[in-house]
Amino acid sequence: MPRVTGVAATSGEILRLIREEELHTRAELARCTGLSRPVIGQRVNELLEAGLVLESPGVSSGGRPAARLEFNGAGGTVLVASLGHTHGHLAVCDLAGSILRQEPVRVDGGPGAGIGAVLDLWRSMERGPVLGVGIAVPGAAAEHEPIVAAVADRYPVPVHLDNDVNVMALGEHRLRHDVEDLLFVKASTGIGAGIISGGRLQRGAYGSAGEIGHIPVLDGLLCGCGTVGCVETVAGGAALLAQLKGRAANLPELAALARAGDLEAVSVLREAGRRIGEVVAATVNVLNPALVVLGGDLAGKNLIAGVRETVYQRAAAAATRRLRIEPSLLGDDAGLLGCATMILDHILAPRSVDAALRAASRPARPQDPTPVP
């Protein structure tokens, strides 16, 4: 582990070392940072008083046992929401990112139109102090700024909102933290990708990185984005339901038909996987990820088989030699856990923790005296 200089080892950095680097004693922290034991003690005490760290007796191996420090995941909560065009899921998570309670919510008319229902349901779900809010929405995050304003008005804490595919990529990367370069592909009503490169989410210069659903393919049709040929027009959810001519009313029904072995549904999903594989192959050539993760309503074994078939045929051999293409580990919870990762990365960052500790230690300003009439 690289040494942290004493100047940089603020209380927030001490928390990071305990939480991420698994340093559990004051002696380990002192060796890593170069800070004196009294200074380490002062900064640890700040974290103990804030409820971010817990201390327990150590195990003796001869001599006086050193007290053990642990990150306190129960020291607060974050509220998260994964919202679609008509429905979504809400959850309350602890500071370790574990879901404490989860509920579905209707957002008919779009996420912005249903924000009142989201806020009311969150209020009924609260468990302890709320330290932050994370929200995933379809489409460009910039189009949903009214949601951020409405949430911030109810909860005066950091509120972060991002595209749903970006958030899912964050959630998957949290579980696969040994993978620095990951491509998450969502196959549902639309098709999109979240890009993790060098261990960091890549949004692009204007926030539109990962729009692979609008890469043109042969036989593509007129798309809602205004161009012709997008892969979404032949492999997105609406196109697949049309191919089944009413045999499935929605994507869960289509997926259920395929799981039951319906030959037409299996064939439709396998071919959709091949078409999606065309744009994934091009993306793999450009980004050279170590892992492609497939999620969304359509990402069952048949679609994944089609993607693998095309990618391994069409992408460059150097890019696919060790490439893994796998289903999501999180399934339906990818959006919620990704939201938790997104907001926790912010509120538990050393700079944010230091700012919160300074604010908590600042004496309250006395109210101005009421003027005498």
Side-chain angles (χ1 to χ4, degrees), residues 4 13 46 62 99 114 129 134 137 142 155-156 219 235 240 252 255 257 274 297 305 332 338 344 358 362:
V4 178
E13 181 63 23
E46 278 190 306
I99 294 176
V137 292
Y155 294 100
D219 305 323
L240 304 192
L257 281 174
R274 295 188 184 103
D297 296 313
D332 293 340
L344 289 170
R358 285 195 300 271
R362 193 177 300 133

Side-chain angles (χ1 to χ4, degrees), residues 32-351:
C32 178
T33 63
L35 293 174
S36 66
R37 292 291 291 270
V39 174
I40 287 290
Q42 179 185 19
R43 294 183 179 173
V44 167
N45 287 339
E46 278 190 306
L47 298 172
L48 290 168
E49 291 171 8
L52 294 171
V53 167
L54 298 174
E55 188 170 31
S56 60
V59 178
S60 176
S61 58
R64 182 180 178 183
R68 185 174 178 83
L69 303 168
E70 297 282 356
F71 171 63
N72 182 19
T77 64
V78 292
L79 304 178
V80 296
S82 179
L83 304 178
H85 292 289
T86 60
H87 64 280
H89 284 85
L90 310 184
V92 181
C93 297
D94 64 17
L95 298 186
S98 299
I99 294 176
L100 304 177
R101 182 178 173 186
Q102 179 177 343
E103 295 287 347
V105 65
R106 295 289 304 180
V107 287
D108 293 325
I115 194 60
V118 170
L119 291 171
D120 290 343
L121 186 51
W122 262 338
R123 180 57 58 88
S124 71
M125 295 167 64
E126 287 179 25
R127 294 188 178 188
V130 175
L131 304 185
V133 179
I135 306 168
V137 292
E143 298 173 1
H144 299 278
E145 288 305 313
I147 295 178
V148 175
V151 174
D153 188 55
R154 175 76 67 89
Y155 294 100
V157 296
V159 179
H160 280 219
L161 179 146
D162 204 344
N163 172 270
D164 56 354
V165 187
N166 284 343
V167 166
M168 291 176 177
L170 284 173
E172 289 291 334
H173 184 247
R174 175 189 170 202
L175 291 186
R176 308 170 190 260
H177 51 80
D178 58 320
V179 178
E180 291 288 296
D181 298 276
L182 176 153
L183 179 71
F184 181 91
V185 177
K186 179 185 177 185
S188 187
T189 303
I191 299 166
I195 302 165
I196 304 289
S197 180
R200 303 176 72 89
L201 178 67
Q202 304 299 318
R203 295 183 173 85
Y206 307 109
S208 61
E211 289 286 352
I212 66 170
H214 299 288
I215 295 176
V217 295
L218 289 175
D219 305 323
L221 307 173
L222 178 64
C223 181
C225 74
T227 60
V228 175
C230 298
V231 68
E232 217 168 80
T233 65
V234 293
L240 304 192
L241 291 175
Q243 290 176 45
L244 285 177
K245 299 177 181 178
R247 294 190 59 228
N250 50 46
L251 299 187
E253 288 188 14
L254 169 55
L257 281 174
R259 286 194 299 271
D262 182 272
L263 294 181
E264 185 179 15
V266 168
S267 176
V268 163
L269 286 171
R270 184 71 177 251
E271 180 60 22
R274 295 188 184 103
R275 303 311 300 273
I276 294 171
E278 293 175 28
V279 298
V280 172
T283 307
V284 164
N285 282 345
V286 173
L287 298 177
N288 190 206
L291 174 66
V292 174
V293 178
L294 292 160
D297 296 313
L298 301 175
K301 65 180 183 179
N302 298 296
L303 184 132
I304 293 173
V307 171
R308 285 174 173 154
E309 177 185 332
T310 302
V311 170
Y312 288 126
Q313 284 178 355
R314 296 198 177 190
T320 58
R321 188 170 294 116
R322 288 177 290 178
L323 175 69
R324 291 150 41 211
I325 301 175
E326 300 177 355
S328 166
L329 293 176
L330 296 175
D332 293 340
D333 288 339
L336 293 175
L337 293 172
C339 283
T341 298
M342 173 176 64
I343 189 61
L344 289 170
D345 282 350
H346 172 73
I347 66 173
L348 295 177
R351 182 177 298 181

